[in-house]
Amino acid sequence: MFATRRNQSSGFRSQRSLALGRGGAVCTSQVLASTAALRILRDGGNAIDAAVCAAAVLGVVEPFSTGIGGDCFALVWSARDGKLHGINGSGRAPAGLSCERLRQQGHTAMPMHGMLPVTIPGALDAWQQLLERFGTIALGKALEPAIHYASEGFAVSEIIQHQWQLILRFGVVQHPDALRTLTCNGEPPALGEIFRMPELAASMRRIAAGGSEVFYRGELAEKLVAFAQANGGPHQLADFASHRSSWVEPIATEYRGYRVCEIPPNGQGLAALLGLNILECFAPGELGSAESLHLRIEAVKLAYADRSRYIADPEHSRVPVAELLDKAYAAERAGRIDPRRAAPAYDPGDSVRGDTVYLATADAEGNVVSLINSLYLPFGSGLVAGDTGIVLHNRGFGFSLDPSHPNCVAPGKRPFHTIIPGMMLKNGRPLLAFGVMGGDVQAQAHLQLISNLIDHGLNIQEGLDYPRFNYLEANRVAFEAEHDPEVLRALAAMGHEVLDENAALLRGGFGGGQGIAIDRNGTYWAGSDRRKDGCAVVL
């Protein structure tokens, strides 16, 4: 984890250097967000202040991935009390949304777009709670850089421009308010074009002046509800007024002597821990080999079977976290893996009874933040709420309409969530803040990253850049082009349906991660994924 860059046996080599510093670190998926957060640190703010600032800027410069119309999860290592804290900033279904109502309307699955999958956006409340509990600046101060870029404009960066173009080609943005706000006369902005979002800037100014109260119980809440009701949503002012984020106890497992921590359900962090527990039952093998990749894929496949069966809102359904994370359970699940042959599929275990953005920040005092903020699918619901400039997410698309499933939609319930921030501890202290955005790929990317670091000694930049796979379903697995063709042929001979990277295009791709490792001297080793426009910056 604390090694110099090197050539790997597969021939793949990371082309980015680590960023190392003692006074603080920021890693995000867009340069303007990284530099804005670094200014916060330079001006005396802490890692929590910087994280909220960066998240807000990303909602402007990467508007199809995140924003104040979405949700947020975070893990915070507080240097003040020497403890890891978690916040679940995901929103709940409005009181008027139920499985029965949707079925009566003719739906057999949750709609992907429109107002029906719009749960109450939770990000803004989470940002304010993070600042009030651990920050040093007010929400208005944290929003200043985002307001500046929304009002004065920003130069659209390379990968974001390409993704923006693809998203519009798929026809996600159709509503007049969204077309006005998110396009240039129906077209994506060009590379380097100065793009402005003045209506979003005006909304953020209102929030800066009045806090999150404006969004949940004030003028913006009224605008959001009026828009929802005019577009077929059951949302009421009471749904917004009752929203609160939840402070939660992180869940964790030990992986080869390291403590890996995640946010508990309704997020899918549990699946990452399940997969690591199963993988730990095997020797690591050679990095990039068919044998090693096969074990990783089968561990993910088993973990995702349990994910699909059990993960739901624990306020509404019992999620057997302790039983699922029991090492004996992992050993039993691992026993189902044939080291030489892919299984067609796995059922959930029977031993149990009873586009997104990720960022990491750290400061000179030792506070460390792992935060993820999301609209879910690109441009979320495809809707912008009237003249607010706020893109509404579609996180409710994660609900089931199976009345017998614990994740079935119900009033006031949180849906299954893909976004997961991670943190790794050693000897009771933070060793790594990490995360990888990308929908379904996130939990399996956590497993791949942690194995890269712990099992194979890659540093955080190498570990993020190393080629990934994306397990899709059954035996279908997509691989990035950098994988060795001979290895892929060997995997196909083992029974895996090997697909090229285009097969993962609509399934989260291969994600984009960020990470900050902390060495024994307290130096930050920061890395930023080659798959994104961002960078790691340090003091």
Side-chain angles (χ1 to χ4, degrees), residues 73-106:
F73 288 177
L75 290 167
V76 177
W77 176 268
S78 168
R80 182 177 59 212
D81 59 16
K83 185 180 177 183
L84 185 64
H85 304 265
I87 190 167
N88 180 333
S90 64
R92 299 166 177 84
L97 190 68
S98 68
C99 182
E100 295 76 16
R101 174 176 175 169
L102 289 169
R103 287 188 166 276
Q104 287 169 5
Q105 293 176 354

Side-chain angles (χ1 to χ4, degrees), residues 127-174:
W127 296 354
Q128 181 144 327
Q129 288 207 40
L130 284 165
L131 290 172
E132 288 175 350
R133 184 167 181 180
F134 296 112
T136 69
I137 63 176
L139 179 61
K141 181 69 174 176
L143 293 180
E144 284 181 1
I147 293 170
H148 168 77
Y149 289 122
S151 176
E152 302 304 316
F154 62 94
V156 177
S157 53
E158 188 174 3
I159 293 174
I160 287 173
Q161 192 279 332
H162 175 67
Q163 293 174 333
W164 207 323
Q165 186 177 47
L166 288 176
I167 294 162
L168 293 188
R169 188 182 301 167
F170 282 118
V172 172
V173 178
Q174 299 287 339

